[in-house]
Every structure is written in C-alpha cells, then in structure tokens.
Amino acid sequence: MSTTRLKSLLLSLSAVVAMSAGMAHAATNLVTNGNFDDTTNGNNKRLSASPTNEDDRTTLSGWTSTSIEGNGGGYNFVLDANTAKTWDSVIWLRSEVDGVSNGYAASANGGNIFASDALYGPGTLAQTITGLKQDAYYQLTFDYALAQQVGFTGANTNNFWHVMFGDQSANSSGLSITSGGFSGWQTATMTFQASGTSQVLSFLAQTTAPGAPPFLLLDGVNLTAVPEPTTWAMMLGGFGLVGFLARRRQRGSAALA
C-alpha cells in the first residue's frame, strides 16, 4: 500500500473515531426518571393510573403504569432499595433464608427501584420517548434483579423483562432463584432502531414460575443514541488494517536489521 493511500485511510479512520467519540461524549439519556427517584405521593407505594383513588398509591414522574388485566396500575410498586427488605416497605422482599443472608443488596444507583410481581397481576411500565431520529440506532441499558416476597416460599425460574420499543421487542436474560433467594443485580443491553421521532418504551415482567410470587426489580434505565452498525464495522475494520500494516512494517524492519 502506498504512503498516500495509507495516509488517506488513517485520516478516514480518524474521522470515524472522532465522530464516535463525539457521540459518546454528547450521549444524553433520553429516559425521564430512569432511576425512579422522582415520585409523587411518597415512595414505597403501589403505582396506579389514578393515585387519588387510594391513599397508598403513587405515581412516577415520566412513567405510566397500566395493568394488563385492567385494574389500575397493576401489581407494580416503587420501593426504596435500602428498606425493601424491612417492614418499612409496603412490599417486603426476602433478604435471608433460615436466618442466613441470601445476598440481597441495593442497586448500584441506590435510592428507589421499580418492583413488579411477575406472576400475580403484573402491569406494564411505559414512557413515551421523544426527540428520536427516524432510522437511527439507540442503545438501552438497565439493571435488574429477581427477589421473592416475604411470607412466600418456592423456587422461581426463568423470570425476565419483556421490553418493547415502538414495534420492536426484546427480552432480558432469564433469572432464576431458589426458595427465598436473590439473584443479584444484572445489567441488560439492547439495541433498537427508531421507526419515528417518538416511540413508547415499555417493560412487562414475565415468568414461567408456577407460584411463589417472584418480584422483578428494575433500575438505571438509560437510552442513548449510538452509531449505526456499518459505522462500527468501518471503524473496527480500519483498526484491524492499521494493526496489520504495523505488524508488516515491523517484520520488514526486522528483516533489514
């Protein structure tokens, strides 16, 4: 490869890297209240589309909670991650088995978490995302875990979040726990392509467990723009070629030594 052609390749590669770095630096979370800390009527409460109907109900800023069975906000709650294992929480999650800790821990963000009973009356948590660019790619990340409500026993298997972004869908990896267990926090990453400038992002807890109320927990929901796959391919291919040429040059210098 000629020196001129190599310089041209390097300049093109530099432009791609600069563009990607710029996008990463400018990446803005398009989700409102992705940490669930902005609530009305207090926290540790059951969510509802009509919170004034009952004193113990609340709402999350930016989000709507709708039961798939038509009963208000579904069996969805916003909990304080630190008190969810105590009687201070309206839903008391198990933190031990026979007096031994099951590893329950607050999420990385701390503060509030979203909790949904994946078996008995789960409800959809949704938010309309605006400011999208049609056909652009967006990366969704979120932290999630699986726990069990105090007062219940039995193993829970294959619990996951069913995620919708517009007309596209994806599932997080399934989580399973033994009776009274805790899965630990996991991070899910998904990539979607926008079909319009405004789309609904939603989460619905799913399970195959026969009983023993499993609670899927959610926190740190983040949606940011990312380069399209062809851009990443060009950048990675360019890095590979530069590495190949560097090795070839080293071999040539060694042969002349």
Side-chain angles (χ1 to χ4, degrees), residues 148-173:
Q148 189 173 46
Q149 186 178 352
V150 165
F152 296 88
T153 59
N156 288 281
T157 59
N158 195 29
N159 292 256
F160 58 92
W161 286 109
H162 179 65
V163 182
M164 293 288 296
F165 186 60
D167 59 357
Q168 301 170 71
S169 65
N171 295 332
S172 64
S173 296

Side-chain angles (χ1 to χ4, degrees), residues 190-252:
M190 305 170 177
T191 301
F192 299 99
Q193 185 176 19
S195 58
T197 58
S198 176
Q199 292 188 179
V200 175
L201 170 67
S202 68
F203 295 84
L204 180 62
Q206 300 280 278
T207 185
T208 59
F215 266 83
L216 269 170
L217 312 180
L218 179 68
D219 200 9
V221 182
N222 193 291
L223 182 73
T224 56
V226 294
E228 62 179 287
T230 54
T231 301
W232 285 117
M234 187 196 324
M235 185 171 66
L236 293 173
F239 278 127
L241 181 56
V242 169
F244 168 76
L245 292 174
R247 291 192 298 273
R248 180 177 172 183
R249 188 171 183 180
Q250 287 176 347
R251 287 197 297 270

Side-chain angles (χ1 to χ4, degrees), residues 128-152:
T128 299
I129 307 296
T130 59
L132 301 172
K133 182 179 179 181
Q134 185 167 340
D135 298 326
Y137 287 84
Y138 294 87
Q139 180 174 278
L140 175 71
T141 61
F142 57 89
D143 297 329
Y144 69 113
L146 177 63
Q148 189 173 46
Q149 186 178 352
V150 165
F152 296 88

Side-chain angles (χ1 to χ4, degrees), residues 35-255:
N35 291 338
F36 308 116
D37 289 331
D38 187 2
T39 67
T40 59
N41 298 342
N43 56 20
N44 278 349
K45 307 295 183 181
R46 184 176 173 183
L47 298 177
S48 172
S50 302
T52 57
N53 292 344
E54 296 183 30
D55 292 337
D56 67 340
R57 295 195 173 186
T58 191
T59 57
L60 278 168
S61 176
W63 298 94
T64 58
S65 179
T66 305
S67 173
I68 59 176
E69 299 176 354
N71 58 346
Y75 211 51
N76 290 341
F77 298 82
V78 55
L79 309 178
D80 183 300
N82 294 307
T83 62
K85 62 178 181 177
T86 73
W87 59 268
D88 293 319
S89 178
V90 66
I91 287 296
W92 189 358
L93 301 178
R94 295 188 62 170
S95 61
E96 59 181 44
V97 178
D98 297 328
V100 179
S101 171
N102 65 3
Y104 174 85
S107 60
N109 289 313
N112 291 342
I113 55 176
F114 175 74
S116 183
D117 186 330
L119 187 64
Y120 298 118
T124 298
L125 181 72
Q127 180 173 143
T128 299
I129 307 296
T130 59
L132 301 172
K133 182 179 179 181
Q134 185 167 340
D135 298 326
Y137 287 84
Y138 294 87
Q139 180 174 278
L140 175 71
T141 61
F142 57 89
D143 297 329
Y144 69 113
L146 177 63
Q148 189 173 46
Q149 186 178 352
V150 165
F152 296 88
T153 59
N156 288 281
T157 59
N158 195 29
N159 292 256
F160 58 92
W161 286 109
H162 179 65
V163 182
M164 293 288 296
F165 186 60
D167 59 357
Q168 301 170 71
S169 65
N171 295 332
S172 64
S173 296
L175 298 179
S176 301
I177 56 174
T178 57
S179 180
F182 179 70
S183 66
W185 287 92
Q186 314 292 322
T187 299
T189 301
M190 305 170 177
T191 301
F192 299 99
Q193 185 176 19
S195 58
T197 58
S198 176
Q199 292 188 179
V200 175
L201 170 67
S202 68
F203 295 84
L204 180 62
Q206 300 280 278
T207 185
T208 59
F215 266 83
L216 269 170
L217 312 180
L218 179 68
D219 200 9
V221 182
N222 193 291
L223 182 73
T224 56
V226 294
E228 62 179 287
T230 54
T231 301
W232 285 117
M234 187 196 324
M235 185 171 66
L236 293 173
F239 278 127
L241 181 56
V242 169
F244 168 76
L245 292 174
R247 291 192 298 273
R248 180 177 172 183
R249 188 171 183 180
Q250 287 176 347
R251 287 197 297 270
S253 298

